[in-house]
Amino acid sequence: MTHSLTHAGTALPADWRDLFALTKPRVMSLVVFTAACGLLAAPGHIHPVLAFASILAIALGAGASGALNQWYEAALDAKMKRTAGRPLPAGRLDPQTALQFGVGLAAFSVFLMLFAANWQAAALLTVSILFYVIVYTMWLKPRTPQNIVIGGAAGAFPPLIGWVAATGHVAPLPVLLFLLIFLWTPPHFWALALFVRSDYAAAGIPMMPVVAGETSTRRQILFYAIIMAVAAVAPWPLGYAGALYGWTAAVLSALFVLLSAQVGLRRSVEGDRMQPEKRLFAFSVAYLFILFGAIVADHMWPL
């Protein structure tokens, strides 16, 4: 293993930070939150220690997925400004170390889930890790502009896993939450892809703006935003959530569609700073956090 800092007193913290960076902590925070919301919204009771262990297992599984993704894509990351500073392309970590860390973390996360919750949740966690690493990272991402659409399923698993960890079975509400994240992923990532398009082009990754062009990408962002809004509100009229969640989902989803329309119906010009795209990307993250918070609040304090 190489070190970003050679002074004996600072080598260990640098290594710790680099290993932590492999887990994609910012992505993990959303995974942990949606998983915890799925668990808290589930009926019945799970011991707090077991609940904490279950969420930790999901966090470690997400971290393992991020580490294995960065191990596999190190050469691609080196070609993009946005990712060139990551531990592997920057030469601060040895690839073998990253691989062992990712595999070890994945195995530990599944065994922890098995002992803390049930085999159903452990099986779903295993599927989510394999889906992200093999189906999305290794197969879809380098081959098709639909990578984010199909690969979005990997990021949609956490609330479903959280619910199953608490109950041992699947139910309509967590399936709808899975669908919500699945449909949220394309407008979220394509908004980002529009303002980092040159990065993806340089790395040869067939993201939608690179392959299908800007106009098609913008139209699809708006299309997915509209059907996502329907999925977001659906738990309310279907009777799986109350008015607190329903009104929150309706208002936030209307704002999401409005921001998506601003992106979908415009064309960039020379020197464009892509402000509407950046605004949609930032809002999309807040949207998911608030919406999942609302589903828990609705469960605890129904109107």
Side-chain angles (χ1 to χ4, degrees), residues 217-296:
T217 303
R218 291 178 182 281
R219 287 174 182 165
Q220 291 191 62
I221 284 174
L222 181 54
F223 169 74
Y224 274 98
I226 292 169
I227 57 174
M228 179 213 71
V230 174
V233 178
W236 185 22
L238 291 175
Y240 301 120
L244 175 60
Y245 170 82
W247 282 111
T248 304
V251 172
L252 289 180
S253 298
L255 283 172
F256 197 113
V257 171
L258 179 62
L259 292 173
S260 298
Q262 291 176 353
V263 171
L265 302 176
R266 75 184 288 266
R267 300 292 174 266
S268 61
V269 295
E270 190 68 31
D272 199 317
R273 298 181 64 185
M274 295 285 191
Q275 290 303 325
E277 291 74 16
K278 293 175 181 177
R279 192 159 50 240
L280 173 60
F281 179 75
F283 178 79
S284 67
V285 177
Y287 170 85
L288 218 55
F289 272 109
I290 298 170
L291 211 54
F292 273 81
I295 200 75
V296 174

Side-chain angles (χ1 to χ4, degrees), residues 28-118:
M28 192 197 295
S29 65
L30 190 57
V31 166
V32 169
F33 185 75
T34 57
C37 290
L39 186 146
L40 291 171
H45 174 75
I46 180 172
H47 192 282
V49 173
L50 297 180
F52 175 80
S54 299
I55 298 304
L56 178 61
I58 295 170
L60 295 177
S65 300
L68 292 170
N69 169 271
Q70 289 190 58
W71 164 75
Y72 188 78
E73 294 188 340
L76 288 176
D77 284 346
K79 298 176 182 178
M80 299 194 292
K81 292 178 184 177
R82 189 171 60 89
T83 55
R86 285 176 174 175
L88 287 169
R92 296 194 305 271
L93 270 184
D94 170 65
Q96 193 65 22
T97 301
L99 176 60
Q100 291 169 355
F101 176 69
V103 171
L105 206 59
F108 179 73
S109 71
V110 171
F111 280 113
L112 178 60
M113 180 63 85
L114 183 62
F115 289 114
N118 49 64

